[in-house]
Amino acid sequence: METFRGECYSWGRDGTRALVKINPGMDQQQCIIDTQHITTHTMGRGDLGRGEGEKKLRYMLKDGSCPVVFHQSPGQWSFFLADIFTTLVELRWRVMLLIFCLSYILSWLFFSVLYFLIAYVHKDLEDQDTAPCVANVRSFTSAFLYSMSTQATIGYGFRVMTENCMVAIVVVTIQALMSCFIDTVVIGITVAKMACASKRAQTVGFSSSAVVNARNGALCLVWRIADFRRNHILEGTARAQLVRPTKHPSGMISVTYQDLDIQSRHLILATPASIVHKLEPGSPLYSLGPDSLAEEDFDLVVSFTYTGDSTGILHQTRTSYTPADIRWGQRFQDMVQVGRRHYKVDYALFHQTTWVQTPMVSAQEGDRGRPPPTESIVQSQQPFVRSSRKFRRSLADVSEEVVQEAWL
């Protein structure tokens, strides 16, 4: 049984927790028992104080995107046109396919207009007996069919270029070069979009929540990460940063960033791994307890950067946790089992947590009530021991000199 701020918590053998709330105005005690081994997180006090229209805006969404909109940025369109390749790669598939289809159709129409004008100036449309620039091109429809067959290298053989007009020969040469350029751009952007890093990043996921529990006598903040593909990542680097937007009375909004120290920053994701941040002096979460944590306003942005083993492209997966996503006094369920030939991983338990006995105070308050370690006591006594040894040696020297004088 634990008591903290008027609330009593009792723990069962199976890991369940019972909460006893003491009501001063009632003679009896109201006992609410959580009998579920798997728990879900409820809203904290900070969320209960907000209305539906005053919902906190996250700095980063769970999928890793940031709800940021730019207004009146300098050179808004010039930036996209200067890096047209990246712009096309970042477009949606339906928009990109529409642009590619229009690029082919518009190029066919453009050169068909040129062929029709050449035939009109050379009077191939009026006089059927004259030697034409392009054989069997007597209308705009036939000019369009010739333009499409030339650029697509269909080669039906019915409409062919003749040597009567040098202008027509130059135009068909330019169209052949334009066709190679369009094909190169379409194939390159399609391959780059299919191998986009954001698609691979979707197969590496973080747990939906983070937990705080005691590890080796110290409170730690823990969250999970796993690779859901069979060709696992060999090595990657994890990072965590505390982002705290602050709105000043003048209306200005400032954003502060604080890096968190992570134990075992470099990970191998053959199996799901737990990323641990120790709540120690110097940590921005060192002075926060379960109640004060619910009243805080920050985003814990976590990321995992790695290189794909199949493509060699650098990827990054990221997400964020708010104070409402941090579960105090819980731990993640074990999902890795050892078989005869393989390690068995049950991903159905990836996001599941269970209660565990944890001090319901901040790490700072816990360190204050903890007795000093034995090592510090021994170190503090060392100067006294050394001084006593010197004093004993000096007494021994004096007594030896007195004895020698008495003998003489």
Side-chain angles (χ1 to χ4, degrees), residues 17 39-45 47-48 294 323-327 330 355:
R17 187 179 75 165
T39 61
T40 57
H41 187 67
T42 57
M43 292 190 301
R45 295 182 179 179
D47 297 331
L48 293 175
D325 298 326
I326 300 177
R327 306 178 181 180
Q330 299 187 34
W355 291 105

Side-chain angles (χ1 to χ4, degrees), residues 264-285:
S264 303
R265 185 179 297 271
H266 302 282
L267 303 174
I268 298 176
L269 284 187
T271 58
S274 297
I275 304 176
V276 181
H277 166 67
K278 186 178 179 181
L279 304 184
E280 57 185 358
S283 171
L285 305 176

Side-chain angles (χ1 to χ4, degrees), residues 64-83:
S65 60
C66 298
V68 180
V69 179
F70 297 98
H71 292 285
Q72 299 180 359
S73 58
Q76 182 176 2
W77 291 102
S78 61
F79 292 152
F80 292 100
L81 295 178
D83 192 8

Side-chain angles (χ1 to χ4, degrees), residues 65 121 159 206 257 267 367:
S65 60
V121 172
R159 299 177 180 85
F206 289 92
Y257 305 89
L267 303 174
D367 292 342

Side-chain angles (χ1 to χ4, degrees), residues 47-62:
D47 297 331
L48 293 175
R50 299 187 182 98
E52 296 181 357
E54 300 179 357
K55 185 178 180 181
K56 177 185 175 297
L57 180 63
R58 303 177 70 108
Y59 184 80
M60 178 179 289
L61 303 180
K62 298 295 288 185

